[in-house]
Amino acid sequence: MDGHDSDGKQNSADMTAFVQNLLQQMQTRFQAMSETIVTKIDEMGNRIDELEQSINELKAEMGADACPSPATPSKSKPADSKPGEGSEEI
């Protein structure tokens, strides 16, 4: 029976080593995937910043090109209306 106990201890040691090795491999893969995800998020953040800068530059260009002429009437009130006209309260 001593031989049987020895086999059981060996199997237990082998199983322990196998599980530890498997956990180490999983940890290594998880760490690599985490680093990849963080890198992709950083790249996406940089691209968003560049896109925001491009949008702001386009806005600035459009603002410079589309200056309203001084003859353009304001949108708030027609030029010939008097205060109180057309705004009767109910």
Side-chain angles (χ1 to χ4, degrees):
M1 283 224 179
D2 289 337
H4 185 66
D5 288 341
S6 174
D7 287 344
K9 288 180 183 180
Q10 183 62 37
N11 286 340
S12 178
D14 289 346
M15 183 61 74
T16 301
F18 174 77
V19 169
Q20 287 177 342
N21 185 27
L22 187 61
L23 289 173
Q24 182 63 40
Q25 288 176 1
M26 289 174 62
Q27 182 177 4
T28 301
R29 288 180 183 172
F30 181 79
Q31 187 172 5
M33 288 175 59
S34 295
E35 290 172 3
T36 300
I37 290 169
V38 169
T39 300
K40 295 286 185 185
I41 289 172
D42 288 342
E43 289 173 1
M44 193 181 322
N46 290 337
R47 292 174 69 185
I48 289 170
D49 290 342
E50 291 172 4
L51 182 59
E52 185 177 10
Q53 184 178 358
S54 294
I55 289 170
N56 289 334
E57 289 173 359
L58 287 172
K59 282 181 174 180
E61 286 178 18
M62 288 178 65
D65 291 344
C67 290
S69 65
T72 306
S74 66
K75 296 180 181 179
S76 60
K77 295 181 184 175
D80 59 347
S81 69
K82 294 180 186 174
E85 284 186 3
S87 60
E88 296 178 34
E89 292 184 17
I90 300 174

